[in-house]
Amino acid sequence: MNTMVTNEKETVLYYNSETSLGKQSLPYTESSQQNIKTIDVSKTKITGTEWANITSKLNITISELVDQNHPDYKKNYGDAVNLSEDDWIKILTANPETLSYSILVVNEDFHLIKSPSQIAKLLEKEDSNFDARNKD
């Protein structure tokens, strides 16, 4: 299943419904005027290639997406620090609950969401742009 953004006008939220941030992120998308595709990584498998593309677009390393303090990470990997990009991708693919942040994609712009209020600000801006484009 390909979950990546395929339409440059598409807005997508990648989140984990099992985390506090994920639970708080979703209502912000639901209150927007836009049709937002939501992808719950705890229910929808994101491939390694997709994770690599996401981190590339965010201009970060995959390890920055992994919550290294998460109990499942600690249990499975301890204090492992010498991991390759492939290792980090495998961790995130096998343990989506270790995703540290939500990710919002707006018109091909990728945003790392550390606080749900960031979503509101980004979507407010996009909602006002949407309104401006649709005025007579």
Side-chain angles (χ1 to χ4, degrees):
M1 174 179 194
N2 184 1
T3 56
M4 285 303 297
V5 177
T6 57
N7 179 344
E8 66 184 38
K9 300 293 183 200
E10 191 170 43
T11 301
V12 179
L13 175 70
Y14 293 89
Y15 74 105
N16 187 328
S17 64
E18 297 176 6
T19 66
S20 176
L21 176 60
K23 288 175 189 166
Q24 295 172 37
S25 296
L26 194 57
Y28 283 96
T29 63
E30 292 169 342
S31 66
S32 172
Q33 297 173 27
Q34 300 177 53
N35 182 20
I36 299 172
K37 179 178 177 181
T38 56
I39 299 172
D40 182 350
V41 301
S42 72
K43 295 178 175 70
T44 303
K45 185 172 175 66
I46 307 299
T47 68
T49 302
E50 290 171 317
W51 282 123
N53 187 44
I54 289 168
T55 55
S56 171
K57 298 280 189 176
L58 288 167
N59 200 27
I60 63 172
T61 63
I62 193 84
S63 64
E64 293 175 75
L65 284 181
V66 176
D67 179 358
Q68 297 172 40
N69 292 314
H70 191 281
D72 288 344
Y73 175 86
K74 290 282 195 193
K75 180 179 81 176
N76 294 321
Y77 307 101
D79 293 323
V81 289
N82 291 326
L83 299 173
S84 70
E85 284 293 298
D86 284 342
D87 292 334
W88 287 109
I89 287 171
K90 288 175 187 168
I91 290 169
L92 202 49
T93 302
N95 306 96
E97 66 277 3
T98 63
L99 178 65
S100 291
Y101 309 106
S102 294
I103 299 154
L104 185 67
V105 184
V106 181
N107 298 329
E108 292 188 332
D109 292 327
F110 284 63
H111 304 276
L112 194 62
I113 303 299
K114 297 180 179 181
S115 160
S117 61
Q118 285 178 273
I119 295 172
K121 289 176 187 161
L122 290 165
L123 293 178
E124 265 178 38
K125 180 181 173 191
E126 198 53 32
D127 284 346
S128 65
N129 290 342
F130 178 80
D131 288 344
R133 286 190 300 263
N134 290 310
K135 287 190 176 179
D136 293 324

